[in-house]
Amino acid sequence: MVRIIPPRQKTMERFHIIDIIGLIGAPYPQNGQSSYYIKCPCCDDDPKKRHLNINLKKDVFRCPRCGVSGGLFDLYSLYTGVPRDKAYKAILRQLHPEAGNEYHQPQRTPPIQSIPQATEYPLNDLEIRHATYTAMLGMLSLAPDHRDNLLNRGLTDADILRLGYKSTPIAGMSTIAKQLLSDGYYLAGVPGFYRTNDGDWTFIHEQRGILIPVRNKDGLIQGLQIRRDNVEKRKFRWVSSGDRQDGCRAEGWTHLAGEITPVIIITEGPMKADVINALTGMTILAVPGVNTLTHLKAALADLKADGLQEVKTAFDMDYTTNQHVQNGLENLFALLDANGFRYGTYLWDPRYKGLDDFIWEHCMGKQRPEKGE
């Protein structure tokens, strides 16, 4: 097997979220506050509302109302419109104009002394993340109960192998990280990896569950999600380490299941997309949630260049009673309309929450359709 080792990573300056508050024009916290609320630019139409929480200790933000969230680079991108992958350089130019830059350095409030020294690495290149995740997943196995869970959803053993699903490691994360480093893979800037207090690299210790590779249109792993065992709320979570020392935060990537075709279906969640594709052969594009469309515009532009013409939405049927989901769908339709796509919505028996549930129920006891049927 031939393995390409990525070029050596350059040293990067690290920032805290407090460093960019002045750059984006957001209010500073009152003295001593490490967590505070400001107006959400996505959903707070009333100027008196304050739903967006900024956590200075963890260097993260989140709006519980509309779901927008992320790390300091996401926050900068949200307020300035600068693409997330260009945020690091834009911040660096503004904070250090002496390096040569057209921006003027804004006056900054001194950092709050109580903030710990946890730092966030900028996201590494896609090819590097894919290589590291592929190597790590190759070291892991799939537990029998997780395999049964996937088989009961309609996947076959061949599907599971092709998709690369594995069980979360419950021990030995530091050993896995050490082996990856020894083999020449990069961990800095790969969500899920971080340094311990001893300075050693390790992988996030998540609750037991199924690891789901989230892939782009070329099949490269952008990040990982986990389907957590024995939980009712937030069953699916991103594998992320932005709040850890030298960690990196995951983004809301889209996931493509199937070959690029003139018509695709958009749904919520990469596992759901993989199951529908495996059962029907239809091409499915998954978003993390109907209110998390940050990466969708770019993904649709790439797919349009490859022949995409029409989009069908297939979100869980409870959208008919969930106002926030309905608002998200309106934003999605506006995005599709603005980019010249034909679009529509799939409807099915509301006794089945998801399209994957409905299809599998009607495929049970029958031969699975050939691809494209």
Side-chain angles (χ1 to χ4, degrees):
M1 178 181 70
V2 178
R3 175 168 55 80
I4 299 175
I5 299 179
R8 184 168 298 279
Q9 194 175 27
K10 296 180 180 180
T11 301
M12 301 181 184
E13 180 168 347
R14 304 167 199 166
F15 306 116
H16 292 294
I17 206 166
I18 192 68
D19 294 326
I20 69 164
I21 296 299
L23 303 183
I24 63 177
Y28 282 97
Q30 296 181 2
N31 292 336
Q33 283 186 321
S34 61
S35 177
Y36 69 110
Y37 287 86
I38 65 174
K39 179 181 177 180
C40 177
C42 298
C43 69
D44 280 335
D45 298 326
D46 186 339
K48 296 182 180 179
K49 298 295 185 182
R50 300 287 187 272
H51 282 102
L52 189 74
N53 176 260
I54 295 182
N55 190 312
L56 300 174
K57 286 187 175 181
K58 296 183 178 180
D59 276 340
V60 297
F61 72 95
R62 181 176 184 273
C63 175
R65 186 183 185 194
C66 68
V68 63
S69 63
L72 65 95
F73 299 114
D74 302 287
L75 185 65
Y76 184 86
S77 178
L78 180 66
Y79 271 83
T80 65
V82 173
R84 206 273 188 189
D85 59 351
K86 294 180 173 58
Y88 173 79
K89 290 184 178 179
I91 295 170
L92 189 64
R93 287 196 298 270
Q94 287 189 265
L95 294 181
H96 299 286
E98 69 278 1
N101 169 45
E102 66 272 22
Y103 295 109
H104 296 290
Q105 184 179 19
Q107 185 174 357
R108 299 167 56 202
T109 297
I112 296 176
Q113 296 300 316
S114 61
I115 300 176
Q117 294 302 308
T119 55
E120 178 185 1
Y121 261 105
L123 189 69
N124 218 322
D125 294 339
L126 173 58
E127 290 77 10
I128 291 177
R129 283 178 277 139
H130 172 73
T132 299
Y133 284 136
T134 300
M136 184 190 75
L137 292 171
M139 300 177 182
L140 305 179
S141 60
L142 185 67
D145 60 318
H146 288 157
R147 182 176 299 278
D148 289 342
N149 180 289
L150 296 170
L151 294 173
N152 289 333
R153 294 172 182 269
L155 298 177
T156 65
D157 283 322
D159 291 328
I160 296 170
L161 180 63
R162 169 178 58 84
L163 294 169
Y165 288 2
K166 296 296 177 69
S167 297
T168 54
I170 57 176
M173 282 74 74
S174 296
T175 300
I176 290 173
K178 185 176 180 180
Q179 183 62 52
L180 289 170
L181 286 172
S182 177
D183 290 342
Y185 294 99
Y186 288 98
L187 308 186
V190 180
F193 291 96
Y194 68 98
R195 290 185 191 271
T196 66
N197 291 334
D198 296 330
D200 297 324
W201 283 100
T202 188
F203 189 71
I204 199 80
H205 182 71
E206 272 285 4
Q207 182 170 334
R208 186 176 185 271
I210 302 173
L211 287 174
I212 307 163
V214 178
R215 303 178 185 271
N216 75 344
K217 67 184 182 68
D218 299 313
L220 301 181
I221 303 176
Q222 305 171 93
L224 300 173
Q225 276 198 358
I226 174 176
R227 181 191 181 276
R228 301 186 296 165
D229 294 349
N230 303 318
V231 297
E232 295 298 326
K233 295 182 178 180
R234 297 193 67 194
K235 188 177 289 288
F236 291 89
R237 294 182 60 180
W238 287 102
V239 172
S240 185
S241 54
D243 59 345
R244 306 296 182 92
Q245 181 69 29
D246 291 341
C248 180
R249 181 158 297 278
E251 299 185 7
W253 294 290
T254 61
H255 169 77
L256 189 70
E259 299 178 357
I260 301 174
T261 56
V263 181
I264 67 168
I265 297 173
I266 291 183
T267 192
E268 180 178 354
M271 180 180 284
K272 189 187 299 292
D274 286 337
V275 171
I276 297 173
N277 170 255
L279 291 174
T280 68
M282 296 185 293
T283 300
I284 315 296
L285 181 65
V287 293
V290 70
N291 285 299
T292 312
L293 307 178
T294 305
H295 287 265
L296 180 60
K297 184 177 181 180
L300 289 173
D302 288 342
L303 294 173
K304 187 175 184 179
D306 290 330
L308 175 62
Q309 301 172 9
E310 184 174 356
V311 174
K312 302 291 188 182
T313 63
F315 291 94
D316 288 354
M317 287 298 288
D318 59 0
Y319 83 88
T320 58
T321 58
N322 189 318
Q323 186 61 48
H324 289 305
V325 176
Q326 292 174 14
N327 293 339
L329 278 173
E330 291 179 3
N331 293 332
L332 173 56
F333 293 150
L335 174 63
L336 296 174
D337 188 57
N339 287 275
F341 291 107
R342 300 192 303 271
Y343 58 90
T345 299
Y346 273 118
L347 299 175
W348 56 90
D349 188 336
R351 291 178 298 174
Y352 304 94
K353 182 179 179 183
L355 182 58
D356 54 334
D357 302 321
F358 175 76
I359 292 172
W360 179 230
E361 176 68 21
H362 290 271
C363 284
M364 291 184 68
K366 303 177 182 179
Q367 183 178 357
R368 280 175 49 170
E370 295 296 327
K371 190 172 184 179
E373 288 188 356

